[in-house]
Amino acid sequence: MRYSAQKGTRDILPSEIIAWHKAEETFSRVCHRFGYEEIRIPTFEQTDLFQRGVGDTTDVVQKEMYTFEDKGGRSISLRPEGTAGVVRSFIENGMGSLPSPVRLFYNITAFRYEKMQKGRFREFHQFGLEAFGAQGPDIDAEIISVLRVFFNEMGLKSIKLCINSIGCPTCRKAYNDSLRDYFRPHLEEMCYDCKSRFEKNPLRMIDCKVPECKVIAANAPKLIDHLCDDCKAHFEGLKERLDNIGIEYSIDPNIVRGLDYYTRTVFEFVSENVGSQGTICGGGRYDGLVESMGGTAVPGIGFAMGVERFMLEANSQGVDFGKTDYVKVYLANLSDKASMVINKLAYELRLKGVGCEVDLCQRSFRAQMKYAGKAGIPYVVVIGDDELDKGEVSIKRMSDGTSNTVALSNFVEYCMNEL
Ligand code: ATP
Ligand code: MG
């Protein structure tokens, strides 16, 4: 029997891990710099939380959720995204009484039963954040700038920002009527899903991926032309703030986002390189969500970035993540006696924070040197009976072959300070 990873899942191998560590560490550092704190939420929740929180007219809930009954007869779903769980935690832990805004970030796996494609998996990773309690457009501009700083720090050049506003329930009500008027004569030609969206949530019809529906939806009236005065002012405010800090954007009236809870600002960072899975990050405001999930009326805003898609983009832009340098020195042994000394030195080095490796496979001296070279370990020290007698070793820098002689008694300290 040969096992293979399940469809839509993949291993992140050691060769890629430096990029992942760098992205995770950078995201966390940048979020902290803006005053966000990390939250870790459970991998599964009761199914109803996502039906309510993500929206039961969305593809995510209707088609993509991993839902099962547990042994206690509960309906459980693996999280398809992070916001619903974070909002649940926000309410459950009384975070509404903390000073506003409450700013949280996360790094999660998410699960969606989707057709596997480049940049589309069944288990994938998201970096995201949520901010609760700030009403005006300042925070909208701030979370967008978190992403800009992150991309900048990761060495990415061009990632396009598209923004839109999908208004509030007030403007959406009037707009939904004009959308229905527009779609009504075409309804027969549209897909089954669109037909059911027509009454429940016609805004979803704009986001339909079926080519025939897309053609029809292309000329539908745009919500951005039907905003109420408050929503218009909010959107103008966001543009003004982005202009002020010099973040470029384009307005894309077709962004409605895949999840139901958004209000007003929605945005996406898209790449020209990643093809049809070009949306690296999506986000927006969700002013009604906390209340609709049983909390008080607190405005919220957030985004989630697909880490696999981010990696594809970083690779196609030729970002160099460098190499790991966890192991600084290889301690090659030339005799049994030396090997006891080496094991002791190695333990001490590791206690003091210096990464090192020793031979664990009874290799010949030549084979040890070959191993150290292949592993790319930057320094090598050879210890045999001669070195023990003299009480001195020579540490060789592999990049240029230069050596330094150091007293054995001073070896650990030397490595701590000089390597
Ligand atoms: P798409 O239109 O590509 O299906 P979405 O609107 O469903 O995306 P969101 O729910 O907004 O995506 O999730 C935020 C981000 O998570 C996306 O922009 C994308 O980068 C990433 N993402 C979503 N689904 C997947 C998936 N199946 N595999 C990998 N990344 C994903
Ligand atoms: Mg999707």
Side-chain angles (χ1 to χ4, degrees), residues 43 63 84 96 114 123 125 152 228 250 261 301 306 389 393:
T43 310
K63 302 179 190 161
E114 294 201 75
E123 177 181 15
H125 295 74
N152 184 52
C228 68
S250 14
Y261 46 62
I301 186 164
D389 290 346
V393 291

Side-chain angles (χ1 to χ4, degrees), residues 20 24 72 84 87 89 95 134 158 193 200 241 250 258 270 278 284 289 294 308 341 376-377 381 391 400 410:
W20 282 76
E24 287 164 355
V87 169
S89 176
M95 290 188 229
S158 56
D193 287 337
K200 267 193 177 165
R241 280 155 182 79
S250 14
V270 291
L289 183 63
E308 284 79 3
V341 175
I377 301 174
V381 59
D400 57 8
N410 192 35

Side-chain angles (χ1 to χ4, degrees), residues 8 54 59-60 64 80-82 106 110-127 204 207 209 256-259 261-262 267-270 276-283 303-310:
V54 178
D59 279 358
V60 172
E64 299 168 3
E81 51 96 66
Y106 56 79
F111 304 86
R112 297 184 191 180
Y113 193 80
E114 294 201 75
K115 212 167 144 215
M116 164 110 184
Q117 290 165 42
K118 186 177 178 193
R120 190 177 292 288
F121 300 93
R122 292 181 174 178
E123 177 181 15
F124 60 100
H125 295 74
Q126 288 188 334
F127 294 163
R204 287 259 70 79
D207 202 27
K209 305 269 156 61
V256 298
R257 310 280 318 119
L259 314 178
Y261 46 62
Y262 289 108
F267 65 86
E268 290 182 348
F269 277 87
V270 291
S276 60
Q277 266 65 254
T279 310
I280 290 168
C281 177
F303 66 70
M305 170 166 43
V307 186
E308 284 79 3
R309 288 193 201 171
F310 168 79

